[in-house]
Amino acid sequence: MTTKPHPLTRYLQRSAQRVRAYDTRHPLVWDVLVTAFFVIAALTDGSGGWRNTAANPYVAQWQIVLMSLGLSVPVLWRRRHPITALAVMAAANVASNWTGAWLQSALIQFVVVFNIALRLPLKTLGWAAAMTTLPMAVSIIRYPEGSWDQLIVPQLWSFALVALAGIAVRSRQDYTQALVERARQLEVERDQQAQLATAAERTRIAREMHDIIGHNLSVITGLADGGSYAAAKSPERAAQALEAIGTTSRQALSELRRLLDVLRDDAPATAERAPQPALTDLDQLFEGVRAAGLPVRSTVRGRPDSVPAGRQLTLYRVVQEALTNTLKHGGPDATATVDVSYTADGVTVDVTDTGVGGTAAPSSGRGLTGMRERTSLYDGTLEAGPRPHPPGGWRVHLHLPKA
């Protein structure tokens, strides 16, 4: 349960934020205003009030004015040159204590001490302590009847409290800055993760489009070539080829529409959702390849025991790509064999052909790269290369370990 801060607390927080914002935008104006305040306070005390605590109330007025200015004007340099400002104020304070004026405006030097603790390395606090204590030692030497513990000890306590306050504010600022930097880094990491996810999704879509378009166009090309040869001698077979071309084209368009719907920002929530190809669709794949003119013989060993959908899609696409390469590069007399084995270690697929496309054909495009990317997603192994002569041809060997 969270409690709301008191209205007065909220007002003070808002006021402090406005002051800090103005200081950030106009640092010189703020420094001049703060310095003017302390100069007026010092000169006001120097108009006569200093005699109430002075050891020597007969110090000349012009000396009082100079020492008052020396104890207040250096506040203007408290942020840019705090050590120099404190040294000037310490010199004025030494003169004040030596003459016996003991000006109360010497307390203004703790404003500079606070800035030293806030901005400079902590080791500089030793020099600052020495410069603020030196005037007290001068008072003891000049007026030995005074008690040293009443002069030195309060000065050291005041210095310690102001220094601790500066260190506390500094720690708070460092912590806040660390949080801001961490938030910025998280935003950068979030943007980088989004870019990586976008790149991965683009790669996946490009891989799917390559497999869909490459396979179906290869089938359509094979059917069109076969139909053109059969048009003169067997019109029925030409008509069957044209019908198969239409079926393959519609199937390709359907798959592409489903894939491209992912890229649409205005896709309706009720858009058609069709399952991705799986191992049960291999028979349909083989029938389409056979219709395109590539004889395919398939063998299945074992039973698929709960193979995840992602792995099934990878197996399907690898077989599809291998047969597509055979269609494109295997030559007119090529045949293909697909062996699928389900074992306790996972799934193994062997796709071999007797084509004459050579080693450059499958590796010249994105097909082999896409197969390797799909396989690496599931820690599998893929081997693709020409078979020795005889029998020649190409071989693709895929193994996906059990999930």
Side-chain angles (χ1 to χ4, degrees), residues 315-329:
L315 293 166
Y316 180 92
R317 291 303 189 197
V318 170
V319 173
Q320 183 186 56
E321 179 63 26
L323 294 177
T324 300
N325 287 332
T326 303
L327 273 173
K328 292 191 292 186
H329 309 293

Side-chain angles (χ1 to χ4, degrees), residues 28-318:
L28 181 60
V29 175
W30 182 251
D31 287 345
V32 170
L33 291 175
V34 171
T35 304
F37 170 80
F38 284 112
V39 168
I40 293 172
L43 293 177
T44 301
D45 178 69
S47 64
W50 62 276
R51 292 187 175 89
N52 297 326
T53 58
N56 178 16
Y58 302 106
V59 181
Q61 187 64 32
W62 65 270
Q63 290 180 310
I64 297 299
V65 172
L66 288 179
M67 290 185 292
S68 297
L69 292 176
L71 289 168
S72 57
V73 171
V75 173
L76 184 64
W77 313 321
R78 72 189 187 280
R79 288 196 279 198
R80 288 171 294 178
H81 308 288
I83 292 295
T84 303
L86 185 60
V88 173
M89 298 174 81
N93 198 16
V94 166
S96 172
N97 290 352
W98 182 262
T99 59
W102 291 3
L103 297 177
Q104 297 302 303
S105 54
L107 296 174
I108 301 175
Q109 64 185 333
F110 289 114
V111 175
V112 180
V113 171
F114 177 85
N115 280 267
I116 291 175
L118 182 65
R119 293 180 170 85
L120 297 185
L122 297 182
K123 63 183 180 181
T124 57
L125 289 176
W127 291 101
M131 284 188 284
T132 55
T133 308
L134 177 62
M136 298 296 104
V138 171
S139 296
I140 296 173
I141 295 172
R142 185 73 171 83
Y143 300 95
E145 65 274 9
S147 175
W148 70 270
D149 57 335
Q150 293 180 357
L151 295 174
I152 300 295
V153 174
Q155 188 78 359
L156 291 176
W157 273 111
S158 300
F159 177 87
L161 291 176
V162 172
L164 287 175
I167 293 172
V169 174
R170 179 180 188 166
S171 300
R172 180 66 179 177
Q173 289 180 350
D174 291 343
Y175 177 71
T176 303
Q177 186 176 1
L179 291 179
V180 172
E181 179 63 20
R182 178 58 179 164
R184 188 192 67 81
Q185 290 178 354
L186 289 176
E187 290 180 359
V188 172
E189 292 176 1
R190 180 198 61 192
D191 295 341
Q192 290 176 344
Q193 291 295 332
Q195 292 174 359
L196 291 174
T198 301
E201 184 65 13
R202 287 177 177 174
T203 301
R204 186 190 69 82
I205 292 173
R207 190 166 53 228
E208 290 290 329
M209 293 184 67
H210 171 273
D211 293 339
I212 294 171
I213 296 174
H215 171 73
N216 288 285
L217 285 181
S218 297
V219 172
I220 291 172
T221 301
L223 291 171
D225 291 340
S228 64
Y229 287 125
K233 298 180 180 180
S234 178
E236 292 102 357
R237 295 194 61 181
Q240 293 175 356
L242 291 175
E243 183 179 356
I245 289 174
T247 302
T248 304
S249 301
R250 285 189 293 271
Q251 180 182 355
L253 287 175
S254 176
E255 292 187 27
L256 285 175
R257 287 194 188 100
R258 184 178 69 249
L259 184 63
L260 294 177
D261 278 343
V262 179
L263 304 178
R264 293 177 55 193
D265 294 332
D266 58 344
T270 57
E272 180 183 357
R273 297 289 189 270
Q276 292 279 20
L279 295 175
T280 54
D281 300 311
L282 285 177
D283 290 338
Q284 183 179 355
L285 173 66
F286 297 154
E287 290 299 327
V289 174
R290 292 187 185 108
L294 174 65
V296 178
R297 182 171 58 88
S298 63
T299 303
V300 179
R301 300 181 180 86
R303 300 178 58 184
D305 296 330
S306 64
V307 179
R311 294 172 182 267
Q312 291 193 37
L313 177 61
T314 295
L315 293 166
Y316 180 92
R317 291 303 189 197
V318 170

